[in-house]
């Protein structure tokens, strides 16, 4: 992790010092820094839009741009994704120098111009939907396996918050000692989730101290096919039998993986 990134984080905390304006989510020597900035922008004629900007600064930052996620309850998912793309374009113009504050200022100043450009895109998207053309090419499914959860209530609440912030849907599935997380959504959002999962102190160890998740594995990563189920929300579900769990796998288009997974459980 570069000294530049740490210095920038300190400066950002001083600038965005109001409650909830700047929240540090993870700091790691090997994975970098993840934090969220909340800022308001004006949308004409006179509406305040609250943007939640999630930044991940990799260890190579600022030589490489940050990963960015944009969320707002007042914008559509498509609008959030396009604002994110514009921010990433701007980030490439600031390589080798601290840039997060510049990016926040840029979107504050250019928000209406960006949204104005997006209105046509939104209309086109609706036109595509009306003609029946698929718009799901960018939706991915990822299946994760967790070895255990000691602080279950806190862990579940954290997972629900992350998936909500990143607009991911799916299931947190329990069957006996089996723990699985099935995520659906934008591939970059899923990558951001995995960064949070691996770098945040989300559980406790055997002595009760907070610890990071070290025993997580990615079982599958695949694009959502049109014939497969698209989850509309993220839910926590308990299963009492393998048959119930199998139906969830099949709905997500992971029937073959289920067979492999069960075989592994029985070894």
């Amino acid at each position: 992790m570069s000294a530049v990134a740490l210095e920038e984080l300190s400066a950002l905390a001083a600038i965005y010092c109001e409650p909830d304006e700047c929240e540090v989510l993870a700091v790691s020597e090997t994975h970098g820094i993840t934090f969220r900035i909340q800022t308001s922008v004006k949308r004409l004629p006179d509406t305040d839009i609250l943007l939640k900007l999630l930044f991940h600064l990799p260890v190579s930052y600022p030589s490489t741009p940050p990963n960015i996620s944009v969320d707002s309850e007042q914008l559509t998912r498509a609008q959030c994704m396009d604002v994110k793309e514009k921010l990433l374009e701007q980030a490439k113009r600031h390589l080798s120098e601290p840039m997060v504050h510049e990016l926040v200022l840029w979107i504050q100043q250019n928000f209406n111009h960006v949204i104005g450009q997006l209105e046509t895109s939104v209309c086109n998207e609706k036109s595509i939907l009306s003609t029946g053309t698929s718009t799901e090419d960018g939706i991915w499914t990822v299946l994760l396996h967790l070895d255990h959860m000691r602080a279950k209530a806190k862990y579940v609440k954290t997972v629900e918050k992350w998936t909500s912030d990143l607009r991911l849907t799916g299931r947190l599935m329990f069957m006996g000692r089996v723990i699985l997380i099935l995520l659906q959504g934008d591939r970059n959002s899923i990558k951001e989730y995995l960064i949070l999962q691996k770098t945040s102190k989300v559980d406790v160890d055997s002595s009760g101290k907070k610890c990071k998740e070290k025993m997580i594995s990615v079982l599958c990563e695949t694009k959502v096919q049109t014939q497969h189920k698209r989850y509309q929300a993220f839910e926590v579900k308990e299963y009492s039998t393998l048959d119930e769990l199998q139906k969830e796998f099949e709905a997500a288009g992971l029937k073959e993986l289920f067979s492999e997974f069960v075989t592994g459980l029985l070894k």
Side-chain angles (χ1 to χ4, degrees):
M1 186 189 337
S2 70
V4 173
L6 289 173
E7 290 175 4
E8 183 175 13
L9 181 60
S10 177
L12 290 168
I15 295 169
Y16 303 98
C17 56
E18 295 297 322
D20 300 323
E21 267 195 323
C22 183
E23 180 183 4
V24 179
L25 302 175
V27 178
S28 168
E29 290 289 340
T30 54
H31 294 94
I33 303 172
T34 304
F35 57 92
R36 181 185 297 107
I37 289 178
Q38 292 193 152
T39 186
S40 292
V41 294
K42 283 286 186 183
R43 185 175 186 180
L44 297 176
D46 190 27
T47 303
D48 287 323
I49 303 293
L50 180 64
L51 293 180
K52 298 178 182 179
L53 308 174
L54 184 70
F55 292 91
H56 171 243
L57 311 185
V59 292
S60 54
Y61 174 88
S63 297
T64 56
N67 295 317
I68 304 173
S69 176
V70 178
D71 184 34
S72 175
E73 295 180 356
Q74 296 151 284
L75 299 178
T76 66
R77 183 175 180 277
Q79 287 173 322
C80 287
M81 291 300 297
D82 285 329
V83 170
K84 168 186 170 178
E85 289 177 7
K86 295 297 183 182
L87 285 170
L88 289 174
E89 289 177 9
Q90 288 298 312
K92 293 176 182 178
R93 302 179 182 182
H94 295 276
L95 292 179
S96 300
E97 63 183 50
M99 67 182 77
V100 174
H101 185 48
E102 291 295 327
L103 294 177
V104 176
L105 290 178
W106 183 87
I107 195 58
Q108 288 174 337
Q109 296 166 1
N110 294 276
F111 180 75
N112 282 289
H113 176 67
V114 171
I115 291 298
Q117 289 182 323
L118 299 183
E119 296 297 337
T120 301
S121 297
V122 171
C123 291
N124 288 341
E125 181 178 322
K126 291 179 179 178
S127 176
I128 291 172
L129 285 170
S130 67
T131 58
T133 303
S134 173
T135 60
E136 300 299 320
D137 291 345
I139 305 301
W140 285 70
T141 293
V142 169
L143 183 67
L144 310 174
H145 175 244
L146 300 181
D147 184 74
H148 60 268
M149 277 187 190
R150 288 192 174 95
K152 182 177 177 180
K154 177 180 178 295
Y155 205 131
V156 169
K157 186 176 180 180
T158 301
V159 170
E160 289 178 321
K161 183 178 187 301
W162 287 343
T163 54
S164 175
D165 289 347
L166 294 170
R167 299 198 172 191
L168 296 172
T169 61
R171 296 286 185 268
L172 172 52
M173 302 180 280
F174 295 93
M175 193 200 73
R177 297 181 64 182
V178 175
I179 307 171
L180 300 167
I181 301 176
L182 194 156
L183 300 173
Q184 282 187 346
D186 176 72
R187 198 174 190 185
N188 287 329
S189 295
I190 290 174
K191 290 179 180 178
E192 290 165 15
Y193 175 93
L194 290 173
I195 291 170
L196 290 172
Q197 181 86 60
K198 294 177 181 178
T199 60
S200 302
K201 292 184 177 180
V202 67
D203 205 3
V204 296
D205 61 20
S206 57
S207 63
K209 294 181 179 179
K210 292 181 179 180
C211 65
K212 297 176 184 178
E213 180 57 71
K214 297 180 179 179
M215 302 185 72
I216 184 173
S217 55
V218 179
L219 301 180
C220 175
E221 181 179 14
T222 183
K223 278 189 176 182
V224 173
Q225 303 300 315
T226 54
Q227 69 270 28
H228 296 153
K229 183 175 182 178
R230 173 75 191 281
Y231 294 105
Q232 300 302 311
F234 186 86
E235 299 178 5
V236 180
K237 299 190 70 173
E238 300 271 355
Y239 303 86
S240 56
T241 67
L242 280 174
D243 286 341
E244 292 178 359
L245 190 59
Q246 182 177 5
K247 291 178 181 178
E248 199 72 71
F249 271 69
E250 291 177 349
L254 303 174
K255 182 177 180 179
E256 294 181 0
L257 182 64
F258 177 79
S259 299
E260 296 176 9
F261 181 68
V262 171
T263 301
L265 287 177
L266 296 176
K267 287 183 179 179

